[in-house]
Amino acid sequence: MNEVLENIRSRRSVRVYTEQQVSAEDLNLILEAAAYAPNGMHLETWHFTAIQNEEVLVKLNEKIKGAFAKSNEPRLQERGHSRTYCCYYHAPTLVIVSNEPTQWWASMDCACALENIFLAAKSLGIGSCWINQLGQTCDDPDVRAYLTELGVPENHRVYGCAALGYAPVDALVKEKKLAEGTITYIK
């Protein structure tokens, strides 16, 4: 089978990671793949913030939990008060993907970039998982202030993140089956 198609078919979300850090070389390749994603009118208004500092990741997780604790939704409150909750599954690398919300296609541009991140990571033997929690909380004042401190442009909204790292050798891999009725052919 075609190498690209096989990569797409075999990619799965990873939610358990070893402590091994993604190398600078591999991270650069992954971020370059993100920047080559399709984007509206080729404006490239997106921004990629790659974090590999464990203390920064822990602090970011605490800010997200703080925002969840203020939520009216019980499930989010529970996560916000949990001692063990980690939105990025303790991955050694997190890439924040943000964009100017003034363009109606901003979220779609970021989704394309994230998919390129996931596929590039898979091709390099690196596990990944789409992380949404920062998109839900980026407007919280404490979270927003920290994002700005980390270099996320102030006029940007977070549309998703990619947790990156290496899955343990014995990690379970779920089999993927297309749901019936997913594809319709019109000839």
Side-chain angles (χ1 to χ4, degrees):
M1 176 178 279
N2 173 294
E3 192 177 328
V4 173
L5 294 175
E6 181 56 35
N7 192 49
I8 291 168
R9 290 178 89 179
S10 63
R11 194 215 68 80
R12 299 288 181 276
S13 293
V14 172
R15 292 181 175 86
V16 177
Y17 296 91
T18 68
E19 292 181 9
Q20 182 183 350
Q21 185 57 271
V22 175
S23 72
E25 180 182 353
D26 285 347
L27 183 57
N28 286 336
L29 290 170
I30 291 166
L31 294 172
E32 181 180 30
Y36 273 98
N39 60 94
M41 299 179 65
H42 196 61
L43 293 177
E44 297 184 358
T45 54
W46 50 34
H47 186 81
F48 308 101
T49 307
I51 304 169
Q52 293 190 303
N53 181 303
E54 185 177 2
E55 289 177 22
V56 171
L57 289 170
V58 168
K59 186 173 179 180
L60 180 60
N61 189 61
E62 289 303 314
K63 299 280 185 192
I64 291 167
K65 285 172 51 176
F68 281 168
K70 299 177 217 173
S71 172
N72 293 329
E73 189 177 325
R75 186 175 58 98
L76 294 180
Q77 283 182 3
E78 182 181 325
R79 289 178 178 179
H81 295 292
S82 171
R83 288 185 187 182
T84 58
Y85 177 74
C86 182
C87 71
Y88 61 94
Y89 301 105
H90 302 284
T93 299
L94 183 72
V95 177
I96 300 169
V97 182
S98 63
N99 207 336
E100 297 174 2
T102 55
Q103 306 297 338
W104 64 266
W105 56 78
S107 63
M108 293 171 261
D109 287 358
C110 290
C112 288
L114 280 159
E115 183 64 7
N116 275 15
I117 288 171
F118 301 137
L119 293 175
K122 172 64 178 168
S123 76
L124 296 168
I126 297 167
S128 64
C129 188
W130 186 309
I131 306 297
N132 284 316
Q133 292 82 341
L134 199 50
Q136 293 175 281
T137 60
C138 68
D139 291 330
D140 176 85
D142 290 337
V143 174
R144 181 65 252 183
Y146 195 53
L147 289 173
T148 301
E149 187 180 319
L150 295 176
V152 175
E154 287 189 54
N155 64 330
H156 276 211
R157 199 172 158 61
V158 174
Y159 288 99
C161 301
L164 300 172
Y166 295 91
V169 176
D170 60 350
L172 294 175
V173 178
K174 291 184 181 180
E175 187 176 325
K176 172 80 174 178
K177 290 185 180 181
L178 293 181
E180 195 171 318
T182 299
I183 300 171
T184 299
Y185 294 97
I186 301 171
K187 296 183 179 186

